[in-house]
Amino acid sequence: MDDNIRKNLTIKPVTLDYLEQFNDLLAYVFQVTAKEVEESGYEEGELERAKRPVLEKSDVIGWFHEDQLISQLAIYPCVVNLHGRQVKMGGLTGVGTYPEYAGHGLMHDLVRLALQHMRAHKQWLSYLYPYSIPFYRKKGWEIMSDHLTFEVKDTQLPKPVAVAGHVERLEIDDPDVIATYQTYALHNHGAMIRNQLNWDEYWRWENEEERIAGVYYDADDQPQGYVLYWIAQEVFHIKEMVYNTQEARVGLWNFVSAHFSMVELVRGNIYKNEPLHFLLADGDIKQTIHPYYMARIVDVAEFLQEYPFAESGQPLHFVVSDPLAEWNNRTFGLWWDESGQVNVTTRPVGEAVTLDIQTLTTMLMSYRRPSYLAKIERLQASKAALKVLENIIPMDEPYFSDYF
């Protein structure tokens, strides 16, 4: 960037005084039109008011030219399930720069500051939805979850199977919907532990009034699953289906199939590597898979200390490279004491595992297994080290259905 231009730029927190500029930059970068806002159910000015709590709760950093916001990112404070343990997560969102200031490293500086901020706030893990996977890989993030979409013809819907419970149609914010998701999130690795702000963001770009919740209750009248859906032009649209028992899964599909005479297709979303075709009698359905969210370990030493390893293992050490967080560019040794407690050291104990921060993240998030990552040469390790890694890293694959 021209030195004269750079001298006129300052970097500082984006406060509520800049709410309008914050929203204007988001709208420009992501090309959110007035029509799209209206179709999402917002009246004039309502979206800006709705985003105000996000700005209040998030930590936003921006570059300014005089008093004009020209580049920004927000750190959205969240809690997620990391293999059964609730951990703080810094969600990177609201990332954008006006095009006349692009290509000059402004975002590079903001991301570096964001990592320092997350580290200071003990957010050892970060998620984001990537507008460019290559861009964020260069910054140290890696894919951690998938988004599957499916299309089932009415003739392919499963036949009803007798279950002990029943389904009730409720409002999408019914307490039983919230409670059912909370139970689900606490038992599914990667999931957001949603507070009210998270739920508000979950519905941000959709007209909530058109959505319905079908909640499955077991024989004891306890909610065990739900489907969030709407019907339009003879298509049954599933936004999300969660179930805490297989009985609930069957009961919810019974409910969907009960719409056989009303719809021609069922279209829906799955946010876990659980292809629907295997569960249907007629599995010849249309399915697509796309990478969804990316994750990044912010502080390797702290993350390893908090990580819930599946079991104790032989000592080993990671030799990590990180393009932005210099505190991660070193050796991290792991050894377990007699009580099974992991200890993190800077000493190169045991076998070596050499890899970058992206690979370490996707491996410990269990999106890809160590042996596969070694096979495609994303990490270097001996067979003995790979065996240890396969044993100590939990098998649960990530589930993440939110968007922020």
Side-chain angles (χ1 to χ4, degrees), residues 7 70 96 107 215 265 283 316 334 351 385:
K7 282 192 295 186
I70 61 171
M107 190 53 61
V215 180
L265 291 173
L316 56 77
L334 295 181
E351 297 279 346

PDB file of all heavy atoms in Angstrom, residues 7 70 96 107 215 265 283 316 334 351 385:
ATOM      1  N   LYS A   7      -0.409   5.945   6.078  1.00  0.00           N
ATOM      2  CA  LYS A   7      -0.270   6.872   7.203  1.00  0.00           C
ATOM      3  C   LYS A   7      -1.609   7.459   7.616  1.00  0.00           C
ATOM      4  O   LYS A   7      -1.770   7.917   8.747  1.00  0.00           O
ATOM      5  CB  LYS A   7       0.699   7.996   6.831  1.00  0.00           C
ATOM      6  CG  LYS A   7       2.169   7.593   6.897  1.00  0.00           C
ATOM      7  CD  LYS A   7       3.100   8.787   6.803  1.00  0.00           C
ATOM      8  CE  LYS A   7       2.975   9.467   5.446  1.00  0.00           C
ATOM      9  NZ  LYS A   7       3.986  10.549   5.291  1.00  0.00           N
ATOM     10  N   ILE A  70     -13.359   1.056   6.754  1.00  0.00           N
ATOM     11  CA  ILE A  70     -13.057   0.545   5.410  1.00  0.00           C
ATOM     12  C   ILE A  70     -12.751  -0.950   5.389  1.00  0.00           C
ATOM     13  O   ILE A  70     -12.793  -1.572   4.331  1.00  0.00           O
ATOM     14  CB  ILE A  70     -11.873   1.314   4.784  1.00  0.00           C
ATOM     15  CG1 ILE A  70     -10.612   1.137   5.642  1.00  0.00           C
ATOM     16  CG2 ILE A  70     -12.215   2.787   4.600  1.00  0.00           C
ATOM     17  CD1 ILE A  70      -9.361   1.668   4.992  1.00  0.00           C
ATOM     18  N   GLY A  96     -14.675  -8.228   5.950  1.00  0.00           N
ATOM     19  CA  GLY A  96     -14.819  -7.548   4.669  1.00  0.00           C
ATOM     20  C   GLY A  96     -13.992  -6.283   4.560  1.00  0.00           C
ATOM     21  O   GLY A  96     -13.678  -5.636   5.572  1.00  0.00           O
ATOM     22  N   MET A 107      -6.552  -7.047   5.796  1.00  0.00           N
ATOM     23  CA  MET A 107      -7.207  -8.182   6.460  1.00  0.00           C
ATOM     24  C   MET A 107      -6.182  -9.079   7.139  1.00  0.00           C
ATOM     25  O   MET A 107      -6.456  -9.645   8.210  1.00  0.00           O
ATOM     26  CB  MET A 107      -8.031  -8.963   5.440  1.00  0.00           C
ATOM     27  CG  MET A 107      -8.949 -10.009   6.079  1.00  0.00           C
ATOM     28  SD  MET A 107     -10.005  -9.307   7.386  1.00  0.00           S
ATOM     29  CE  MET A 107     -10.950  -8.090   6.469  1.00  0.00           C
ATOM     30  N   VAL A 215     -42.108 -31.873  16.600  1.00  0.00           N
ATOM     31  CA  VAL A 215     -41.346 -32.413  17.734  1.00  0.00           C
ATOM     32  C   VAL A 215     -41.818 -33.824  18.051  1.00  0.00           C
ATOM     33  O   VAL A 215     -43.020 -34.073  18.188  1.00  0.00           O
ATOM     34  CB  VAL A 215     -41.495 -31.517  18.977  1.00  0.00           C
ATOM     35  CG1 VAL A 215     -40.706 -32.096  20.154  1.00  0.00           C
ATOM     36  CG2 VAL A 215     -41.034 -30.097  18.676  1.00  0.00           C
ATOM     37  N   LEU A 265     -41.720 -33.797  -3.535  1.00  0.00           N
ATOM     38  CA  LEU A 265     -40.317 -33.946  -3.169  1.00  0.00           C
ATOM     39  C   LEU A 265     -40.106 -33.556  -1.711  1.00  0.00           C
ATOM     40  O   LEU A 265     -40.853 -32.724  -1.166  1.00  0.00           O
ATOM     41  CB  LEU A 265     -39.426 -33.050  -4.037  1.00  0.00           C
ATOM     42  CG  LEU A 265     -39.263 -33.381  -5.519  1.00  0.00           C
ATOM     43  CD1 LEU A 265     -38.485 -32.242  -6.195  1.00  0.00           C
ATOM     44  CD2 LEU A 265     -38.532 -34.703  -5.711  1.00  0.00           C
ATOM     45  N   GLY A 283     -32.670 -46.298  -1.731  1.00  0.00           N
ATOM     46  CA  GLY A 283     -31.579 -45.354  -1.496  1.00  0.00           C
ATOM     47  C   GLY A 283     -31.092 -44.628  -2.727  1.00  0.00           C
ATOM     48  O   GLY A 283     -30.106 -43.886  -2.656  1.00  0.00           O
ATOM     49  N   LEU A 316       4.633 -38.518  22.528  1.00  0.00           N
ATOM     50  CA  LEU A 316       4.967 -38.083  21.173  1.00  0.00           C
ATOM     51  C   LEU A 316       5.029 -36.565  21.175  1.00  0.00           C
ATOM     52  O   LEU A 316       4.657 -35.922  22.152  1.00  0.00           O
ATOM     53  CB  LEU A 316       3.967 -38.612  20.146  1.00  0.00           C
ATOM     54  CG  LEU A 316       2.466 -38.307  20.317  1.00  0.00           C
ATOM     55  CD1 LEU A 316       2.092 -36.908  19.916  1.00  0.00           C
ATOM     56  CD2 LEU A 316       1.639 -39.291  19.498  1.00  0.00           C
ATOM     57  N   LEU A 334       3.764 -34.365  24.198  1.00  0.00           N
ATOM     58  CA  LEU A 334       2.651 -34.895  24.986  1.00  0.00           C
ATOM     59  C   LEU A 334       3.108 -36.137  25.742  1.00  0.00           C
ATOM     60  O   LEU A 334       3.712 -37.034  25.155  1.00  0.00           O
ATOM     61  CB  LEU A 334       1.476 -35.289  24.078  1.00  0.00           C
ATOM     62  CG  LEU A 334       0.743 -34.211  23.288  1.00  0.00           C
ATOM     63  CD1 LEU A 334      -0.382 -34.848  22.480  1.00  0.00           C
ATOM     64  CD2 LEU A 334       0.181 -33.151  24.207  1.00  0.00           C
ATOM     65  N   GLU A 351       7.908 -40.106  19.714  1.00  0.00           N
ATOM     66  CA  GLU A 351       7.914 -40.013  18.256  1.00  0.00           C
ATOM     67  C   GLU A 351       7.522 -38.613  17.792  1.00  0.00           C
ATOM     68  O   GLU A 351       6.769 -37.906  18.458  1.00  0.00           O
ATOM     69  CB  GLU A 351       6.944 -41.033  17.657  1.00  0.00           C
ATOM     70  CG  GLU A 351       7.294 -42.487  17.934  1.00  0.00           C
ATOM     71  CD  GLU A 351       8.365 -42.999  16.984  1.00  0.00           C
ATOM     72  OE1 GLU A 351       8.622 -42.327  15.964  1.00  0.00           O
ATOM     73  OE2 GLU A 351       8.932 -44.077  17.254  1.00  0.00           O
ATOM     74  N   ALA A 385       3.968 -43.678  15.481  1.00  0.00           N
ATOM     75  CA  ALA A 385       3.316 -42.434  15.880  1.00  0.00           C
ATOM     76  C   ALA A 385       1.867 -42.392  15.382  1.00  0.00           C
ATOM     77  O   ALA A 385       0.965 -41.951  16.102  1.00  0.00           O
ATOM     78  CB  ALA A 385       4.087 -41.237  15.340  1.00  0.00           C
TER      79      ALA A 385
END
